[in-house]
């Protein structure tokens, strides 16, 4: 065997061995239960228009004093807008070029070549979801079946807040905290790094459908709260749109 062929074969076997051990590692980490979902067929519905920045359902100053006007202007108009622009650019010429946003989210992989799409599709999905999760009008509380489920799973609304706040505080660097409904229809709290989310079948360590999410990137709070992320998290409870969160929950449960 020529040296070059030997090197190539050796490299190939090395990659094959690495892939096998990766699969084994996933199985032993308990991901085997979800692996049947990770290779989804191509979606039937295809997108014909570019992704666009959705309008906020309220004025940028409407969430004050919990979130200030300038943060909302920059967060929505600059950060979210950049995810949309970069996503349109990133999907060009790829298999995802005409996929709807959620179809991309569910199929995106952790590969280097998917990285730009992963970050920007996640950024677009997460922020669109976030703007719908918050609303002006002061503190409200969960009601109905969602309130009952929160009491059952976490003990009380206060205990839910405590656990959710701790999760949000625990995110190292940039990321999100989520309240999700799992496959077993139970509520659970989790976090994700960067712009990942629990819908990413090939990426997320904890899979579920988010019904509430909190952006804990510094760009979400730094102008008003600087290093005081816990204060921003506390303020979040004043602006949660529990009506929308409960609608999301009911849709998944009933
Ligand atoms: Mn953000």
């Amino acid at each position: 065997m020529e040296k070059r062929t030997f090197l190539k074969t050796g490299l190939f076997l090395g990659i094959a061995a690495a892939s096998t051990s990766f699969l084994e590692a996933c199985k032993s980490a308990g991901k085997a239960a979800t692996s049947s979902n990770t290779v989804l067929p191509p979606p039937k519905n295809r997108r014909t228009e570019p992704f666009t920045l959705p309008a906020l359902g309220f004025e940028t100053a409407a969430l004050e004093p919990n979130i200030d006007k300038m943060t909302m202007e920059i967060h929505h108009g600059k950060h979210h807008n950049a995810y949309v622009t970069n996503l349109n650019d990133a999907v060009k010429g790829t298999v995802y070029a005409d996929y709807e946003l959620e179809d991309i989210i569910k199929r995106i992989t952790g590969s280097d070549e998917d990285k730009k799409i992963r970050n920007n599709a996640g950024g677009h999905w997460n922020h669109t979801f976030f703007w719908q999760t918050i609303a002006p009008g002061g503190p409200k509380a969960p009601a109905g079946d969602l309130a009952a489920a929160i009491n059952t799973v976490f003990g009380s609304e206060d205990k839910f807040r405590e656990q959710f706040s701790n999760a949000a505080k625990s995110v190292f660097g940039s990321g999100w905290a989520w309240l999700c409904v799992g496959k077993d229809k139970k509520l659970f709290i989790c976090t994700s790094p960067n712009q990942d989310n629990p819908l990413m079948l090939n990426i997320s360590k904890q899979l579920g459908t988010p019904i509430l999410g909190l952006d804990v990137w510094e760009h979400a709070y730094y102008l008003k709260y600087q290093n005081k992320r816990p204060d921003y998290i506390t303020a979040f409870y004043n602006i949660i749109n529990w009506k929308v969160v409960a609608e999301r929950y009911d849709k998944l449960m009933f």
Side-chain angles (χ1 to χ4, degrees):
M1 192 187 288
E2 275 181 36
K3 193 180 175 191
R4 216 176 132 187
T5 315
F6 171 77
L7 282 174
K8 267 192 192 166
T9 314
L11 185 62
F12 174 76
L13 288 173
I15 291 168
S19 314
T20 308
S21 56
F22 173 69
L23 284 176
E24 290 306 316
C26 289
K27 276 181 194 162
S28 62
K31 288 197 77 177
T34 58
S35 63
S36 59
N37 293 328
T38 55
V39 184
L40 297 176
K44 283 181 190 139
N45 295 327
R46 298 304 176 105
R47 188 172 46 84
T48 54
E49 299 293 326
F51 294 109
T52 54
L53 181 68
L56 285 173
F58 43 81
E59 299 294 318
T60 49
L63 303 173
E64 295 221 18
N66 300 292
I67 300 181
D68 60 289
K69 184 176 194 280
M70 189 183 279
T71 294
M72 283 305 299
E73 282 173 1
I74 297 172
H75 199 178
H76 175 257
K78 305 290 182 190
H79 289 279
H80 188 175
N81 195 49
Y83 295 121
V84 173
T85 305
N86 292 336
L87 177 59
N88 282 322
D89 185 46
V91 294
K92 274 181 199 156
T94 74
V95 69
Y96 307 107
D98 59 355
Y99 284 23
E100 297 286 0
L101 184 57
E102 200 157 310
D103 290 327
I104 297 176
I105 296 284
K106 287 181 174 169
R107 289 167 178 79
I108 200 73
T109 76
S111 73
D112 279 351
E113 74 179 6
D114 276 2
K115 200 167 187 179
K116 189 175 174 188
I117 301 174
R118 166 188 179 177
N119 288 338
N120 290 291
H124 183 25
W125 192 95
N126 294 349
H127 286 85
T128 302
F129 181 86
F130 186 50
W131 309 137
Q132 294 165 355
T133 304
I134 52 182
K140 296 165 195 74
D145 293 309
L146 175 60
I150 285 175
N151 287 334
T152 303
V153 173
F154 303 105
S156 67
E157 196 200 328
D158 281 349
K159 283 183 181 161
F160 156 73
R161 284 190 191 198
E162 194 183 321
Q163 282 189 43
F164 188 85
S165 296
N166 286 339
K169 286 176 206 167
S170 78
V171 175
F172 184 75
S174 301
W176 292 75
W178 306 99
L179 174 64
C180 295
V181 176
K183 251 189 168 174
D184 58 4
K185 303 257 179 186
K186 275 197 183 140
L187 292 172
F188 69 94
I189 292 168
C190 71
T191 63
S192 62
N194 305 312
Q195 295 297 356
D196 290 351
N197 71 46
L199 288 172
M200 293 180 171
L201 293 173
N202 294 306
I203 290 170
S204 183
K205 284 179 189 159
Q206 280 177 288
L207 297 176
T209 306
I211 59 170
L212 180 146
L214 176 59
D215 186 346
V216 292
W217 282 58
E218 284 186 347
H219 70 220
Y221 63 86
Y222 211 84
L223 291 178
K224 182 177 170 74
Y225 296 97
Q226 294 87 46
N227 59 318
K228 299 183 285 286
R229 188 194 285 181
D231 292 356
Y232 160 71
I233 295 169
T234 302
F236 173 61
Y237 298 107
N238 295 329
I239 53 169
I240 294 177
N241 190 343
W242 282 111
K243 186 170 173 281
V244 165
V245 180
E247 281 166 9
R248 289 169 177 159
Y249 178 74
D250 290 346
K251 210 173 150 191
L252 290 166
M253 298 301 289
F254 307 106

